[in-house]
Amino acid sequence: MDKSIYTALNSMQILRINQSVTSQNLANSNATGFQKDLSANFSSVYLDRDKGIDPRVFAIQDASGFDNAPGPKNETGAKLDIAIDGEGYFFVKPDNGKIALSRRGDFKVSANGTFIDGTGTPALNIDLEVITIPPHRNITVADDGTIEIEPLNAPEGEKVKISQLATVSGSEVPLAKSEDGYVRTVNGTVPEPDNKMRLLSGFLEGSNVKTVDELVSNLENSRSYEINVKFITTAKEIDEATASLMRMPN
């Protein structure tokens, strides 16, 4: 079999991964605070370079990542819908216990008083501890993340500071998405909260996925995949024709 077929198969494998990434992005185009995954970039490397001849190239996949650009801000008017103005992240603690970063700001108070986002994941305060909200008549979140309530037994209009949402503007250590979809540093460290960002109460950040771009990318990947399939078919036919010629009698 012609070795060029293996080159095509390798390219098809990368295209299949990119199609999965595109499908994932499209599935989360309406998810609050979702940051789209980036498709892998193609590059190539020459084989048998040590022999002084470069007869073939082999497709390789550059490291991919995610797009940290802020998504659109949608006004909801809900007091616990919080969007980050600009870049940055909230601190959350998923079920696996590993502190992570998130742009999702559809917060609410659970039945047991825990301050959680729309997925049920607890948000953390500036000490990176889970926030617990006492019984209250009213609750507000200031633009610096300060959470205040009107306690049930307090005079009307009296406010008490309960906690402060932890936020961070970025990290010196590169960030990457973990298998659970949350953002963490590549070495597993947790950045220190700096609370430099301004928070917008009554707004939710939408996904930064652009549906049209993802659909176009999906079509391009499909066409490239088909080209590689045709290439393999042609290489197979040439290989069979060559073998047939070699079997012909003298």
Side-chain angles (χ1 to χ4, degrees):
M1 182 180 291
D2 195 310
K3 293 181 180 179
S4 61
I5 291 179
Y6 294 103
T7 302
L9 288 171
N10 184 65
S11 298
M12 291 170 66
Q13 173 68 8
I14 299 175
L15 288 167
R16 186 188 64 79
I17 294 173
N18 281 351
Q19 285 180 316
S20 297
V21 171
T22 302
S23 299
Q24 168 79 357
N25 289 336
L26 287 171
N28 288 281
S29 59
N30 293 320
T32 301
F34 180 80
Q35 295 181 307
K36 75 172 186 177
D37 296 303
L38 299 177
S39 297
N41 294 319
F42 277 95
S43 60
S44 57
V45 60
Y46 285 101
L47 301 181
D48 297 328
R49 183 179 294 273
D50 59 330
K51 298 179 181 179
I53 302 176
D54 298 330
R56 304 184 189 284
V57 294
F58 199 71
I60 60 174
Q61 176 184 357
D62 289 343
S64 56
F66 68 97
D67 184 358
N68 64 355
K73 306 297 188 296
N74 304 309
E75 186 172 5
T76 65
K79 293 180 180 179
L80 294 186
D81 283 346
I82 310 296
I84 296 176
D85 187 12
E87 296 183 358
Y89 297 93
F90 299 108
F91 287 83
V92 294
K93 193 170 185 179
D95 291 338
N96 61 16
K98 297 179 181 179
I99 294 176
L101 306 177
S102 170
R103 295 279 298 187
R104 185 162 190 144
D106 52 345
F107 296 114
K108 61 182 178 181
V109 181
S110 68
N112 62 2
T114 304
F115 199 74
I116 59 176
D117 66 17
T119 66
T121 304
L124 304 182
N125 60 22
I126 55 176
D127 296 320
L128 299 184
E129 298 174 343
V130 174
I131 299 172
T132 302
I133 307 296
H136 56 278
R137 288 194 300 264
N138 189 25
I139 182 171
T140 58
V141 180
D143 60 5
D144 64 349
T146 298
I147 302 174
E148 293 183 331
I149 66 168
E150 290 183 13
L152 287 179
N153 299 323
E156 187 172 351
E158 179 180 330
K159 294 184 178 181
V160 177
K161 177 180 176 180
I162 297 301
S163 190
Q164 184 177 10
L165 273 171
T167 57
V168 64
S169 55
S171 171
E172 294 182 357
V173 180
L175 300 174
K177 277 190 178 181
S178 303
E179 292 182 357
D180 58 5
Y182 288 100
V183 176
R184 296 182 176 88
T185 59
V186 294
N187 62 2
T189 59
V190 179
E192 290 290 332
D194 55 25
N195 284 71
K196 293 181 179 180
M197 292 80 59
R198 176 171 170 261
L199 303 183
L200 305 175
S201 180
F203 289 82
L204 274 184
E205 179 177 319
S207 169
N208 67 358
V209 174
K210 296 180 180 178
T211 306
V212 174
D213 291 347
E214 297 303 312
L215 289 173
V216 171
S217 177
N218 192 43
L219 287 173
E220 291 176 346
N221 287 332
S222 296
R223 289 172 181 169
S224 297
Y225 195 93
E226 291 173 0
I227 290 173
N228 279 280
V229 171
K230 291 179 180 178
F231 178 83
I232 291 174
T233 302
T234 302
K236 178 176 178 292
E237 292 173 352
I238 293 173
D239 191 53
E240 290 175 347
T242 303
S244 177
L245 287 171
M246 293 178 67
R247 288 195 298 267
M248 293 180 64
N250 295 328

